[in-house]
């Protein structure tokens, strides 16, 4: 830059380096310097938007992503990032529109289907959410989070068996998903041979789980043991869970 202050790529690369170092302020300065040399570069606008997002300034991030799309309306990345920023700003309707535009450009973005599903879940529209999660899972069959929230949405509609199966799948993929155990044991007809029960018993003994994780697991195992008729063990777990919650 000292040799050639008009070297746009140098500013762009410096901005990317600062993002990697979690220095969004310095990244913004460098991206803006790059754009001062060439404002017709969609990638720089996208990265500038990412830097604004890292700072939590969603309005400026939105403006940057829109600038990118004015230059390159075929950028699915810009639509996805715009959707993220719109959601964080509370504009759920336009967030959905932006995510759907991304899917029109790249239909195989499974994570985007899941993002839309989460918005419909937040809007308490379980039917729309379920469709989105199923579309996402078809593309990302190992996404434990999608199975967990799909289970919750199915439970809202009263399909408790399918809900339990979906949450069980999420726990099979990610055994460390502590919050899912209580939801599963509340819905499923648990037996002593259920692998999820043994999985929870093993996990609660782990030194790696958080305090909140221990609370969730004690509530979960308390519910499971009571359902199995083991009242003493069930109450012991619930007492521990309530002690942690306090």
């Amino acid at each position: 830059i000292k040799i050639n202050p008009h070297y746009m790529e140098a500013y762009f690369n410096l901005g990317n380096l600062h993002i990697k170092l979690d220095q969004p302020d310095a990244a913004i300065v460098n991206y803006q310097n790059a754009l001062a040399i060439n404002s017709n570069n969609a990638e720089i606008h996208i990265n500038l938007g990412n830097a604004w997002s890292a700072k939590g300034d969603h309005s400026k991030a939105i403006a940057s992503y829109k600038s990118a799309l004015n230059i390159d309306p075929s950028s699915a990345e810009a639509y996805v990032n715009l959707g993220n920023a719109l959601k964080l700003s509370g504009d759920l309707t336009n967030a959905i529109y932006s995510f759907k535009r991304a899917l029109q450009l790249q239909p195989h973005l499974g994570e985007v289907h899941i993002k839309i599903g989460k918005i419909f879940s937040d809007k308490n529209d379980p039917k729309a959410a379920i469709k989105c999660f199923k579309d996402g899972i078809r593309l990302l069959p190992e996404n434990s989070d999608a199975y967990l929230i799909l289970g919750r949405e199915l439970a809202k509609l009263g399909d408790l068996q399918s809900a339990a199966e979906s949450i069980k799948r999420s726990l099979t993929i990610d055994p460390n998903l502590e919050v899912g155990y209580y939801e599963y044991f509340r819905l499923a007809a648990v037996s002593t041979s259920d692998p999820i029960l043994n999985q929870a018993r093993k996990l609660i003994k782990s030194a790696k789980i958080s305090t909140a994780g221990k609370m969730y697991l004690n509530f979960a195992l308390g519910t499971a043991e009571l359902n199995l008729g083991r009242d003493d063990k069930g109450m012991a777990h619930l007492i521990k869970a309530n002690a942690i919650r306090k």
Side-chain angles (χ1 to χ4, degrees), residues 218-245:
N218 273 298
F219 274 126
L221 286 168
T223 301
E225 298 291 4
L226 288 174
N227 289 340
L228 290 169
R230 298 173 176 178
D231 293 353
D232 289 345
K233 288 187 176 181
M235 289 306 299
H237 280 296
L238 294 178
I239 289 168
K240 289 179 182 178
N242 280 308
I244 295 169
R245 185 166 62 176

Side-chain angles (χ1 to χ4, degrees), residues 72 214 225:
D72 181 9
K214 289 181 180 178
E225 298 291 4

Side-chain angles (χ1 to χ4, degrees), residues 201-229:
R201 287 170 172 164
K202 181 178 179 181
L203 182 60
I204 202 169
K205 296 176 182 178
S206 170
K208 297 180 180 180
I209 63 171
S210 65
T211 300
K214 289 181 180 178
M215 181 188 71
Y216 288 128
L217 284 166
N218 273 298
F219 274 126
L221 286 168
T223 301
E225 298 291 4
L226 288 174
N227 289 340
L228 290 169

